[in-house]
Amino acid sequence: MAENADGVAGAAGPAMISPEEALRAVLGAARRLPPVTVPLHDALGKVLAEDIRAPDPLPPYPASVKDGYAVVASDGPGEYPVITESRAGNDGVGVTVTPGTVAYVTTGGPIPDGADAVVQVEDTELVKGSLTDQKRVKILVQTSKGVEIRPVGYDIERDSIVLTAGERIGPSEVGLLATVGVTNVKVYPYPTVAILSTGDELVDSRTKCLNRGQIRDSNRATLLAAAMQQQCKVLDLGIARDDEEEIERIIQSAFSSGIDILLTSGGVSMGDKDFIKPLLEKRGKVFFSKVCMKPGKPLTFAEITANTAESETSNRILAFGLPGNPVSCIVCFNLFVVPAIRYLAGWANPDLLRVQARLKQSIKTDPVRIEYHRAVISWLANDGSGTPGFVAESTGHQVSSRLLSMKSANALLVLPATGSVIPAGTLVPAIAISNLSVSTPSKSSLLPDSVSVVQATSSHDTVANGHQEAAYRVAILTVSDTVASRAGPDRSGPRAVTVVNSSSERLGGARVAATAVVPDEVAKIKDILQRWADVDKMDLILTLGGTGFTPRDVTPEATKELIEKETPGLLYVMMQESLKVTPFAMLSRAAAGIRGSSLIINMPGNPNAVAECMEALLPALKHALKQIKGDKREKHPRHVPHAQAAPADTWERSYKSASGGEMERGCSC
């Protein structure tokens, strides 16, 4: 259906736009606020609106780099009288160091006239038992002109630009401004934000006893705190009933008060009492009212031009009609309002920080909308791949009404709309919404010892929203003392993950759902193999390393204690493939077999060998996994049923010829 000029598709309602388009619209409508001059102590966190030049050089005099003695460099080593002391301040003024004399100086102290170098205290000795009252010192080293002296303007030259317009002022910048004597600074102010909650069901958070149909207003408290965290001035508009006239009156009053941003929560969906969008349309231009994202679909953004009560000039106001669900509300605030606040406040780059994080759990994605999944991300020395990196742990159930999913969350994982499962261990984009350095993963969810933080999903989570997960789940265990102790990176594990996931179709839809690293210890290998097989019900478990002849190579021993049925054919195929590359392949003691419904295969620790072995097994693995699940009918694609099979064996043909053709029909397989 064709859209009209306002982006409305007939009776189907407003068209949804992507989050990227929505953010472009917001920033395109935003304009930087006029600069203001503030005292230095109020400038922290704000953006400079002008270049700052140094009125004086720094240091303003030749200064000593270290505690020591100012000397005439050409004098060289020897014993000299100390004629004065030059400490920070005016000490030593009017005294000249001449050849054959020295002066004591402290770090940062002015260099007396006549001296052209400084010898640090460590390269001198005080002379004891001098016949005079004058202090004497031995200079033990030869120095050269200019050593350990900061000349005038060494740090900052006169009239040089020390800070440029557009730089954000932090503690160091405050110190630099003080250094050059700036006490009042021209900066871009942060906007004034008005916040209104709407809904008949809402009551003030101070309400002790709730009546039927009432809930305490959490959105307004959340948004007030979030706006103040962004250094904004805030105006609390309270709670409005679902009454069009009341809401219009409150909004009009806010527009006239000189605000820069209006935030409302609730009243933006398709109900008969959702008045926010129509009211904004009456006062200005609505850019969009639906965003193809989860959570936060019913988001309205408009630009309003209003006259303030204090002046006749018009004021441009950015109005956001945020969803009423608490999580949707704060997610939309972070994704769209925060960049708008930053842009108004002069930030050169208002975008939120993005990093790559490795998933700790497998996550099911939405089939239609991009999802911003709440998570805690932490920097770990081993992110599951054997190298340092961010690891993302979901905050749990992600329903948009569940504010608990925002608790402790410091990032939003950006998950594509595929309707599939993203396996644990996959790198995904993460948008930081608070300080990344203060969070740590929950101890209860970490695997023991050196097991990586990437875990498997439970077997009962295989179906969501009507879309099936990967047909087979694969777990990969790197067995290595070196990797487990973090003395070296895991090269085999990531290679195996890549091989399996890239061969997913040939493996019947198999995907890696868990990875781990353990040392070469039977107990620890058995522990995770048993948990993967018996608890997590993994379909295929691959171990990497520990199959050789050294005393620490114990992976086969750990595996044999667990498997219930051996699968020697798989080992034979891997051996044949590996022998094509190196004769040392015959030294492998790998084991393979079935435990319950899990197929466990030992593979070499060499990354290339892992790829070679997987390639050799691929033709049969899919069928093996189906048979383990109980499908006795699963055969090779070219299999001919027994009743239809033609005799292929030489002895069968001979017997048939000798018996006149009468024989029971056999099977070629």
Side-chain angles (χ1 to χ4, degrees), residues 133 292 339 347 373 523 538 560 601:
D133 292 336
C292 191
W347 285 45
H373 192 103
M538 293 293 170
K560 288 176 181 178
I601 305 174

Side-chain angles (χ1 to χ4, degrees), residues 218-219 265-266 295 322-331 399-402:
S218 63
N219 285 351
S265 65
L322 303 175
N325 272 325
V327 174
S328 303
C329 180
I330 191 61
V331 166
V399 174
S400 60
S401 60
R402 185 174 180 265

